[in-house]
Amino acid sequence: TMTDYMTVDTTLPPYFPYPQFLMDMRLSHTAALAYVLLLDRAHLSQLNGWTDEVGRVYLVFPVEKIAAALNRSLSSAKNALAELSAAGLIERKRRGQFLPNLIYVKLPEGQRIVPPQTDNGLSFTEAENDLRNS
């Protein structure tokens, strides 16, 4: 595989935002990655106006596709979703027999979604982060 050093002009590859609160939670790596994936999909649902009758954003993401997106087995994906449900980070709503569940992604109190790749340079505003000054 070709790898290259980053320069100031390097365009970043597509990436997912990783909420900092996940660092403080006792979640398996797979569950944390599943949450990151679901949060990204929830952001798309938000942009597309996919809400239920009370205004909650939902997504439809069959567990087989979640497993494939995470590159994990079906049972790993199911365990990750169960872990996220138990942690209160997602809620799944059953529908008809052959329809995938609706998934609601939840955020801990006081957290907000910052869309990916739009931190507007906030990371670079503090002088102590500027290595040229040291």
Side-chain angles (χ1 to χ4, degrees):
T1 58
M2 282 276 296
T3 57
D4 228 340
Y5 293 100
M6 277 182 71
T7 68
V8 291
D9 300 320
T10 301
T11 303
L12 291 177
Y15 65 91
F16 294 113
Y18 191 98
Q20 290 179 1
F21 65 78
L22 288 178
M23 307 285 256
D24 302 325
M25 298 187 78
R26 292 177 166 270
L27 291 173
S28 70
H29 186 59
T30 302
L33 281 179
Y35 182 81
V36 166
L37 184 67
L38 294 173
L39 184 62
D40 183 67
R41 289 297 179 97
H43 183 59
L44 284 177
S45 291
Q46 195 182 34
L47 295 175
N48 290 321
W50 286 19
T51 58
D52 66 10
E53 60 285 349
V54 293
R56 296 175 303 183
V57 169
Y58 67 86
L59 55 134
V60 177
F61 200 175
V63 69
E64 298 81 9
K65 293 200 170 159
I66 293 172
L70 291 171
N71 202 14
R72 298 287 192 281
S73 69
L74 193 56
S75 65
S76 283
K78 285 179 177 174
N79 290 342
L81 293 174
E83 211 180 318
L84 293 174
S85 292
L89 289 176
I90 64 169
E91 189 178 312
R92 291 176 287 180
K93 185 175 177 184
R94 293 192 186 286
R95 298 192 296 162
Q97 190 178 357
F98 299 107
L99 293 170
N101 292 339
L102 296 185
I103 301 174
Y104 295 91
V105 176
K106 297 160 90 177
L107 292 162
E109 200 72 32
Q111 302 292 334
R112 63 190 180 90
I113 298 177
V114 177
Q117 302 182 19
T118 54
D119 98 345
N120 296 326
L122 295 177
S123 322
F124 307 108
T125 55
E126 302 200 14
E128 55 266 37
N129 287 344
D130 191 344
L131 298 177
R132 290 168 300 190
N133 289 345
S134 43

